[in-house]
Amino acid sequence: MKLSIKIWLCSIAVMAVAFGIGGYFFVNDVFEASMEREIKQAMDESSILRFAFETAALNAPSKYGMLSDSAVEKIGANLEKSGQDTLRRLRLSDEEGQVLYAGGEFGADADLLLRVGEDNRAYRVIKLGGRYFVQTGIMVPALDRLLYLETLRDVTEVYQERARGFSVYRSLMLLILVISSVFLFFISAWLTKPIRLLTQAAKKMTDGDYSCRAKQVSLDEMGQLTQDFNRMAGVLEETIHNLEEEVRAREDFIAAFSHELKTPLTAVIGYADLLRSRKLDEEKHFLSANYIYTEGKRLEAMSLRLLDIIVTKRYALEPQETDVEVLFSYLRDMYGGNVENPFVFRYEPGHIRGEVNLLKSVLLNLADNACKASSLGDRVEVLGECREKGYWFAVRDQGVGIAREEVRKITEAFYMVDKSRSRSRNGAGLGLALCVEVLKLHGSRLEIESTLGEGSCFSFLLPREWAVPGEEVKAE
């Protein structure tokens, strides 16, 4: 059963019980007030009849100062007829409870008279012939006799009013419940709408649509729940996206690694087989051996780079303060005499904190990539600058540049923008991947600015204080 139906049924049940209990007490309270009024009037009427009987007894003829039974009967009949209420009923009894006059159907029992004394009156409600009466009893002194005066007052109408009240209230309650149930149905549907929207969104996400979000329709707790659900869905979508990217990158890595192994191994096997199966002249023998040696060195370099990446990811960095002159002197020694691509070094003196050998590896890889991307005679700039948040390093070339869609992929292992150019210079697409891991250890990230056909600038900011590693690449 749906939650909205449960809320609807529970609301109707609560309303029905509340109306039922409230209606019972309301109608019954009106009935009791009416009965108290009728009883008071009956008691007052009984007192008036007592006084009238005493007055009539004083004026009635008596023998030897005693009121006869016939006189009592006559006085009772006159009192009953003199009343404006034609339904008045009287009954007079002597001291032993023997009936002297009865004007109507009184009960045969004399229980009420047992509760009547000289100083107190009594009453009760009885049902006779399908009608309800208030029966009162009072003691009347008449000359030398003590008589009992009983009256009956018809209160059937009060009971009928109570029955009508219950009937009207039930009809009214049913009408209100019917009308209220319609409104409660829409209210319950409105209140549970956020839950339905959340359920629909959860089902879509279960079916694989992780971009689905639940629509927020309120600002209460359900609205807050919807916001939390959407935030959770966003985190889940991002996590799944990252996992998919990781799986894709791993598959690409395996494919690229297999391809990178296949190419040099094919050459090595082919030339080795040529050397084994044929007798070659000295020049061809040298060329074949050189091919084997060159491809073997490329395999060695690739394996060392992979090892560096693996080790770097597990490396516990112990930073030390170092003068930047150490890094730039190392690069100047390595590339200062480069004829194909002249290097220009411009930097400000300063100190940094980090692992010197790892930072040398980063700058060396960036400089090597700049040379591979540049044509003969293109200049390569190595820059250093003190900034507020740390020391900024940059390697800028005037080479072929990188397309915008390639920038985010270039730091992946084995990814090469120009594979023919990279392989011709013994590249395997692992240098930038290593740089990224090293910079992560130093709380920095690699930033790439590149324009196709104009050149590229690879830079990073080494923070003065230890920082949390940022993103791998920032493309601009």
Side-chain angles (χ1 to χ4, degrees):
M1 185 181 294
K2 291 184 178 180
L3 179 61
S4 59
I5 302 298
K6 291 181 180 180
I7 295 175
W8 178 58
L9 292 177
C10 291
S11 301
I12 293 176
V14 171
M15 287 183 62
V17 172
F19 278 136
I21 296 175
Y24 171 80
F25 283 107
F26 174 74
V27 175
N28 210 49
D29 185 67
V30 174
F31 167 75
E32 289 178 357
S34 299
M35 283 299 298
E36 288 178 3
R37 183 175 64 253
E38 292 293 333
I39 291 171
K40 184 177 182 303
Q41 290 178 0
M43 297 298 288
D44 291 342
E45 185 180 50
S46 176
S47 297
I48 294 172
L49 289 174
R50 174 186 177 181
F51 177 75
F53 186 88
E54 290 176 350
T55 302
L58 291 175
N59 297 326
S62 59
K63 187 177 181 179
Y64 306 113
M66 295 183 61
L67 188 64
S68 62
D69 293 343
S70 59
V72 172
E73 183 178 356
K74 185 177 181 180
I75 294 173
N78 291 333
L79 289 176
E80 193 174 59
K81 293 177 182 179
S82 63
Q84 296 179 355
D85 188 355
T86 57
L87 297 178
R88 177 189 293 175
R89 298 289 184 268
L90 298 178
R91 185 166 72 175
L92 293 168
S93 306
D94 60 11
E95 293 85 344
E96 284 81 21
Q98 297 296 322
V99 177
L100 301 177
Y101 173 81
E105 296 181 357
F106 282 80
D109 62 277
D111 294 342
L112 183 64
L113 298 182
L114 298 177
R115 294 188 282 136
V116 177
E118 294 185 12
D119 298 326
N120 66 296
R121 302 175 293 175
Y123 74 90
R124 67 178 180 177
V125 179
I126 60 175
K127 184 178 182 181
L128 298 172
R131 301 184 69 83
Y132 293 91
F133 298 89
V134 176
Q135 181 184 0
T136 65
I138 191 172
M139 187 172 285
V140 181
L143 298 181
D144 57 348
R145 302 183 67 176
L146 284 175
L147 303 177
Y148 291 100
L149 172 63
E150 296 175 83
T151 65
L152 284 179
R153 182 177 180 83
D154 193 344
V155 292
T156 304
E157 187 176 351
V158 177
Y159 281 87
Q160 292 175 345
E161 288 179 356
R162 183 178 69 167
R164 285 195 301 271
F166 279 126
S167 177
V168 171
Y169 189 82
R170 281 194 297 269
S171 301
L172 182 62
M173 184 181 70
L174 289 174
L175 179 62
I176 293 175
L177 285 176
V178 171
I179 297 174
S180 300
S181 63
V182 176
F183 285 99
L184 286 173
F185 179 80
F186 290 104
I187 290 174
S188 62
W190 175 70
L191 289 176
T192 56
K193 184 178 180 181
I195 299 178
R196 292 198 303 274
L197 295 175
L198 286 173
T199 303
Q200 294 172 3
K203 287 182 179 179
K204 290 182 179 180
M205 292 184 67
T206 304
D207 295 335
D209 185 7
Y210 300 106
S211 62
C212 180
R213 298 293 183 272
K215 182 180 178 181
Q216 184 177 352
V217 295
S218 64
L219 298 176
D220 54 7
E221 291 82 358
M222 294 304 301
Q224 183 62 42
L225 178 61
T226 303
Q227 290 182 356
D228 295 339
F229 177 86
N230 289 337
R231 281 196 291 268
M232 180 195 69
V235 173
L236 179 61
E237 182 183 14
E238 183 179 357
T239 302
I240 292 176
H241 176 72
N242 292 338
L243 289 174
E244 290 175 347
E245 286 294 318
E246 184 177 344
V247 171
R248 183 193 62 79
R250 190 170 299 174
E251 291 176 350
D252 292 345
F253 175 85
I254 294 173
F257 182 67
S258 301
H259 182 75
E260 291 297 325
L261 282 178
K262 180 181 178 181
T263 302
L265 285 177
T266 300
V268 169
I269 293 172
Y271 283 106
D273 183 62
L274 184 64
L275 289 174
R276 183 190 66 173
S277 60
R278 297 182 184 180
K279 186 175 181 179
L280 305 175
D281 57 36
E282 184 177 352
E283 182 180 358
K284 290 183 179 179
H285 188 279
F286 174 78
L287 290 175
S288 299
N290 185 62
Y291 274 121
I292 294 174
Y293 175 80
T294 303
E295 294 301 318
K297 292 296 290 183
R298 193 153 75 89
L299 283 174
E300 180 188 34
M302 183 174 63
S303 62
L304 290 176
R305 284 290 178 86
L306 282 174
L307 183 63
D308 287 342
I309 293 174
I310 295 172
V311 172
T312 302
K313 288 184 177 181
R314 303 177 182 178
Y315 193 80
L317 193 65
E318 296 181 0
Q320 297 177 350
E321 188 169 340
T322 307
D323 195 325
V324 296
E325 181 64 32
V326 175
L327 299 176
F328 286 101
S329 296
Y330 173 77
L331 291 177
R332 192 183 297 110
D333 293 340
M334 293 292 296
Y335 293 99
N338 193 320
V339 178
E340 295 182 356
N341 300 108
F343 272 69
V344 177
F345 298 90
R346 291 202 304 269
Y347 60 93
E348 297 177 357
H351 290 79
I352 57 172
R353 283 179 57 81
E355 171 57 54
V356 177
N357 291 327
L358 292 178
L359 293 176
K360 285 180 179 179
S361 177
V362 171
L363 293 173
L364 187 64
N365 276 291
L366 295 180
D368 187 53
N369 285 341
C371 291
K372 292 176 181 177
S374 301
S375 300
L376 184 64
D378 288 342
R379 187 177 59 179
V380 177
E381 295 179 295
V382 181
L383 310 174
E385 182 181 304
C386 287
R387 294 188 176 180
E388 182 180 355
K389 295 183 179 180
Y391 198 92
W392 179 74
F393 291 90
V395 177
R396 183 180 297 155
D397 62 66
Q398 300 173 345
V400 294
I402 307 169
R404 182 178 296 272
E405 61 272 11
E406 304 279 353
V407 170
R408 290 190 177 276
K409 301 178 182 179
I410 198 172
T411 57
E412 296 177 4
F414 293 112
Y415 188 86
M416 292 177 284
V417 178
D418 189 345
K419 295 180 174 57
S420 60
R421 177 188 291 263
S422 298
R423 287 201 180 96
S424 66
R425 302 195 181 188
N426 292 327
L430 295 173
L432 291 180
L434 177 62
C435 292
V436 168
E437 297 299 329
V438 172
L439 292 178
K440 274 186 180 180
L441 291 175
H442 287 81
S444 184
R445 64 183 181 184
L446 186 64
E447 298 183 359
I448 304 175
E449 300 177 14
S450 183
T451 303
L452 199 62
E454 296 182 7
S456 305
C457 178
F458 292 78
S459 64
F460 61 92
L461 181 68
L462 201 62
R464 297 185 187 277
E465 301 295 335
W466 206 243
V468 178
E471 297 178 359
E472 293 184 1
V473 178
K474 179 181 179 183
E476 296 182 2

